Amino acid sequence: MLGVESIDESYTRAASCLGASKWQVFRHVIVPGSLPFVFTGLQISVGVSWFSLVAAEMVSGQYGLGYVINTSYTMVRYPTIVIGMITLGAVGYVTSAMVRVAGDYLNLAADRERLKLAKDTLANQEANLEMVKRRFEAGIVSELDLQQARTQVEAARVDVSRYTTLVAQDENGLTLLVGAP
């Protein structure tokens, strides 16, 4: 819920103004905007699931790392305990890294989608500003309308700049994790 609530309402309104259906707004605005929260939850759930699995194996299992660690503890085989713990840590790290990489790839795609939407919004706001300028010169609209159109263009430019930065950060993060986005 927090992921969906964190999306700025102006994005859904902008997509609707550009002619997007409710399904397109959901697919292109809501889902990409909530992805960081979804993958944070997935990373936490992967850790909790490993903890639960090992605890269950220790309590009543006959197979698995939890069983091996618990049996080694009762038999006083400390090297086996350490190997089991290292194996558990490595497997946990790998599964968490896989979720992180998948999330980073999807976040990159979502940020590229939002950048495209922000660029479309900027183009529409610039066209609107030109129309308002012509109407102002003809005396149809006030200077306040002209200033409001300029403000909307500047806000759209800030959004384009912000999403350009986010895409660059996503690409740099993926380069650090896997070598290339």
Side-chain angles (χ1 to χ4, degrees):
M1 295 300 290
L2 181 64
V4 174
E5 291 171 357
S6 70
I7 299 169
D8 190 0
E9 187 180 330
S10 64
Y11 296 121
T12 57
R13 282 189 277 135
S16 297
C17 288
L18 291 172
S21 67
K22 287 184 179 182
W23 170 250
Q24 289 172 323
V25 169
F26 176 76
R27 182 172 170 255
H28 295 287
V29 178
I30 303 298
V31 170
S34 63
L35 277 178
F37 295 90
V38 169
F39 277 94
T40 298
L42 278 174
Q43 278 188 286
I44 292 169
S45 66
V46 164
V48 169
S49 66
W50 275 111
F51 175 77
S52 300
L53 176 67
V54 170
E57 289 172 350
M58 284 181 167
V59 171
S60 65
Q62 294 180 346
Y63 305 102
L65 280 173
Y67 175 75
V68 169
I69 292 170
N70 193 33
T71 304
S72 299
Y73 174 74
T74 58
M75 301 276 213
V76 191
R77 293 185 192 154
Y78 295 118
T80 307
I81 294 172
V82 172
I83 290 170
M85 292 170 62
I86 290 171
T87 303
L88 183 60
V91 170
Y93 177 79
V94 167
T95 55
S96 179
M98 288 181 353
V99 170
R100 189 176 329 118
V101 168
D104 286 351
Y105 271 112
L106 288 175
N107 280 332
L108 175 61
D111 285 344
R112 284 180 177 162
E113 192 73 30
R114 286 186 280 190
L115 176 60
K116 181 182 178 299
L117 180 62
K119 286 180 178 180
D120 290 345
T121 302
L122 176 60
N124 285 332
Q125 293 296 346
E126 287 173 339
N128 182 51
L129 176 61
E130 291 305 315
M131 180 184 70
V132 170
K133 281 181 182 177
R134 287 192 300 272
R135 295 180 79 192
F136 176 74
E137 291 167 357
I140 299 172
V141 297
S142 68
E143 188 172 334
L144 181 63
D145 294 325
L146 181 62
Q147 187 59 37
Q148 184 179 14
R150 287 181 180 144
T151 302
Q152 289 172 341
V153 167
E154 285 306 311
R157 284 189 181 134
V158 167
D159 284 344
V160 168
S161 173
R162 183 175 73 188
Y163 286 120
T164 302
T165 302
L166 282 174
V167 166
Q169 288 173 347
D170 291 344
E171 289 173 346
N172 289 339
L174 279 170
T175 301
L176 289 173
L177 280 174
V178 294

